[in-house]
């Protein structure tokens, strides 16, 4: 496994791989890798000749007062995990070679970026779309692997790939959870014991919603209000939003259908957590 920091060197390597007709699977990350990332890497390993993971804590997707400085960084551990999983290359750029002096081009996926998490985090998805567009140009993958945990991010990146004709297939892999239901996230590292236990309200609320749907409830408003009640019973939890939307446009739906996305963001202590489920029934 090789670590490369220089975008030009990386693109030259990717071009060589293309010439040799090798398929490239790419998993973009901000590091602090966990089993959710590993599931993407494993899938990429099964499906491609070359697997590339990028590790870059992208400053343009953090707002003022967000956790850019304290975002967990553990390169050695991440590199060991990647090596064990058979990753071929880690792309490890730094801020100055991704955003050199004078950098002034940004990608904004209109409308979608301003909904749900975008309301609370203005500019976040502009930063995400910009860095992913740059990474796709540098890495030139055949397939991009994303996690469903960041459902809105996956929708926005898929939209950008389509709108800007990036020649890449996007695969969105299921959320990985701990045994008790907590969705894996690098930010779970911030939770103390009490907060971690409170954080279970997110997955509990989603399980409640799924149970209501399997009992025949289709009214989105009723489901949201029961989820709200459940979460508000926890004193540490502060709801940012609970939304039931269609997966393409992220527009609120009144009536649940197969494929509807139930997404929520809840702050536990100082930690804003997100989770979601896609409704599936016949
Ligand atoms: O999901 C993440 O870790 C980041 O948003 C991504 C896609 C690597 C872009 O910085």
């Amino acid at each position: 496994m090789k670590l490369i920091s220089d975008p030009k060197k990386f693109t030259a390597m990717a071009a060589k791989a293309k010439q040799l007709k090798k398929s490239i699977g790419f998993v973009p990350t901000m590091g602090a890798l966990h089993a959710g990332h590993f599931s993407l890497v494993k899938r990429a390993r099964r499906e491609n000749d070359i697997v590339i993971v990028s590790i870059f804590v992208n400053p343009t997707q953090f707002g003022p007062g967000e956790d850019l400085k304290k975002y967990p960084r553990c390169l050695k551990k991440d590199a060991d995990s990647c090596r064990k999983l058979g990753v071929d290359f880690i792309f490890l750029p730094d801020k100055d070679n991704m955003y050199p002096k004078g950098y002034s081009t940004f990608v904004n996926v209109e409308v979608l970026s301003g909904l749900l998490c975008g309301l609370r985090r203005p500019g976040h998805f502009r930063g995400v779309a910009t860095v992913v567009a740059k990474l796709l140009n540098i890495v030139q993958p055949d397939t991009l692997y994303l996690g469903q945990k960041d459902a809105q991010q996956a929708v926005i990146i898929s939209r950008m790939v389509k709108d800007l004709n990036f020649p890449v297939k996007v695969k969105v892999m299921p959320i990985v959870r701990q045994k008790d239901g907590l969705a894996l996230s690098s930010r779970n590292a911030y939770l103390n014991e009490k907060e971690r236990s409170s954080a279970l309200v997110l997955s509990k609320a989603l399980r409640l919603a799924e149970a209501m749907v399997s009992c025949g409830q289709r009214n989105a408003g009723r489901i949201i209000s029961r989820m709200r009640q459940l979460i508000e019973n926890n004193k540490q939890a502060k709801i940012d939003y609970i939304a039931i939307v269609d997966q393409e446009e992220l527009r609120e739906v009144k009536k649940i259908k197969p494929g509807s996305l139930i997404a929520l963001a809840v702050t536990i202590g100082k930690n804003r957590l997100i989770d979601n489920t896609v409704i599936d029934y016949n």
Side-chain angles (χ1 to χ4, degrees), residues 198-199 201-202 228 230-240 266-269 271:
S198 294
V201 283
L202 282 90
R228 190 171 284 283
L230 184 146
I231 297 170
E232 282 172 354
N233 275 337
N234 186 307
K235 294 232 160 48
Q236 274 200 308
K238 196 170 159 286
I239 298 170
D240 175 359
V266 177
T267 300
I268 307 284
N271 312 292

Side-chain angles (χ1 to χ4, degrees), residues 29-34 37 55-58 62 67-78 185-191 271:
T29 81
M30 298 206 298
L33 304 181
H34 51 66
H37 298 110
I55 299 180
F56 178 56
V57 183
N58 171 39
F62 289 79
D67 55 344
L68 173 62
K69 279 213 178 109
K70 73 164 189 177
Y71 197 84
R73 287 159 171 93
C74 37
L75 178 60
K76 188 174 165 345
K77 192 161 163 265
D78 289 347
S185 160
S186 306
R187 288 189 166 101
N188 290 351
Y190 302 150
L191 301 170
N271 312 292

Side-chain angles (χ1 to χ4, degrees), residues 30-66:
M30 298 206 298
L33 304 181
H34 51 66
H37 298 110
F38 301 159
S39 74
L40 308 181
V41 173
K42 283 180 193 159
R43 181 70 179 257
R45 185 64 288 165
R46 281 207 300 279
E47 297 181 346
N48 297 276
D49 299 317
I50 295 177
V51 175
I52 295 169
V53 170
S54 65
I55 299 180
F56 178 56
V57 183
N58 171 39
T60 63
Q61 68 188 78
F62 289 79
E66 289 190 348

Side-chain angles (χ1 to χ4, degrees), residues 37-269:
H37 298 110
F38 301 159
S39 74
L40 308 181
V41 173
K42 283 180 193 159
R43 181 70 179 257
R45 185 64 288 165
R46 281 207 300 279
E47 297 181 346
N48 297 276
D49 299 317
I50 295 177
V51 175
I52 295 169
V53 170
S54 65
I55 299 180
F56 178 56
V57 183
N58 171 39
T60 63
Q61 68 188 78
F62 289 79
E66 289 190 348
D67 55 344
L68 173 62
K69 279 213 178 109
K70 73 164 189 177
Y71 197 84
R73 287 159 171 93
C74 37
L75 178 60
K76 188 174 165 345
K77 192 161 163 265
D78 289 347
D80 285 348
S81 306
C82 286
R83 194 172 294 110
K84 279 189 196 128
L85 292 169
V87 169
D88 298 292
F89 295 93
I90 297 183
F91 178 46
L92 196 70
D94 63 25
K95 185 174 144 272
D96 293 335
N97 54 29
M98 286 301 268
Y99 301 109
K101 197 166 175 284
Y103 187 90
S104 43
T105 305
F106 290 87
V107 179
N108 193 35
V109 179
E110 302 283 330
V111 186
L112 291 174
S113 297
L115 305 170
L116 308 179
C117 289
L119 285 168
R120 184 72 62 191
R121 305 186 71 191
H124 168 67
F125 289 114
R126 174 183 182 259
V128 170
T130 301
V131 79
V132 174
K134 284 173 69 67
L135 290 168
L136 290 176
N137 283 331
I138 294 165
V139 172
Q140 302 186 30
D142 297 280
T143 310
L144 169 68
Y145 296 85
L146 299 171
Q148 173 63 21
K149 163 77 176 20
D150 295 302
Q152 184 173 10
Q153 168 171 285
V155 169
I156 288 172
I157 292 174
S158 302
R159 183 80 248 170
M160 177 191 77
V161 161
K162 200 169 172 199
D163 289 354
L164 297 184
N165 305 89
F166 280 99
V168 65
K169 194 188 284 169
V170 180
K171 289 198 177 172
V172 183
M173 310 304 298
I175 297 177
V176 178
R177 296 181 182 280
Q178 294 199 301
K179 274 205 183 101
D180 58 9
L182 185 68
L184 292 187
S185 160
S186 306
R187 288 189 166 101
N188 290 351
Y190 302 150
L191 301 170
N192 64 31
E193 209 179 312
K194 196 158 172 247
E195 289 166 346
R196 196 203 167 286
S197 142
S198 294
L200 294 177
V201 283
L202 282 90
S203 54
K204 282 185 184 152
L206 291 169
R207 299 298 80 82
L208 169 68
E210 286 166 354
M212 289 177 76
V213 174
S214 43
C215 290
Q217 182 58 266
R218 300 288 179 265
N219 183 306
R222 291 214 181 108
I223 292 173
I224 289 174
S225 104
R226 288 283 306 282
M227 291 174 74
R228 190 171 284 283
Q229 267 172 19
L230 184 146
I231 297 170
E232 282 172 354
N233 275 337
N234 186 307
K235 294 232 160 48
Q236 274 200 308
K238 196 170 159 286
I239 298 170
D240 175 359
Y241 69 80
I242 305 175
I244 306 187
V245 297
D246 72 85
Q247 273 195 91
E248 291 73 39
E249 304 291 329
L250 303 178
R251 292 277 172 214
E252 297 207 354
V253 298
K254 288 206 162 73
K255 200 166 167 252
I256 297 258
K257 285 196 207 116
S260 296
L261 171 73
I262 309 187
L264 76 170
V266 177
T267 300
I268 307 284

